[in-house]
Amino acid sequence: MAYIEEQGANATGKSLAALLDEAGMRFNLTPLDTAALERLFDVDQSGAATPPP
């Protein structure tokens, strides 16, 4: 989760899906792990990831 927040804060222009795919490969996450991580982020209409409170 910290990796995705860090990459999003760097304004890389990547979508949440791209960041999740990258994190999945980098940290060897299973599809179930990736899906759970995706649920932790609330995606607004613009596609920007918003971390949970």
Side-chain angles (χ1 to χ4, degrees):
M1 189 165 147
Y3 175 79
I4 293 172
E5 288 177 346
E6 178 183 310
Q7 293 300 312
N10 288 338
T12 59
K14 295 180 182 177
S15 68
L16 177 60
L19 290 172
L20 287 168
D21 286 342
E22 189 174 312
M25 289 184 285
R26 182 179 179 113
F27 299 105
N28 196 27
L29 301 176
T30 66
L32 188 59
D33 292 334
T34 304
L37 186 58
E38 184 176 12
R39 285 191 300 270
L40 293 175
F41 288 89
D42 181 31
V43 179
D44 64 18
Q45 293 296 342
S46 68
T50 306

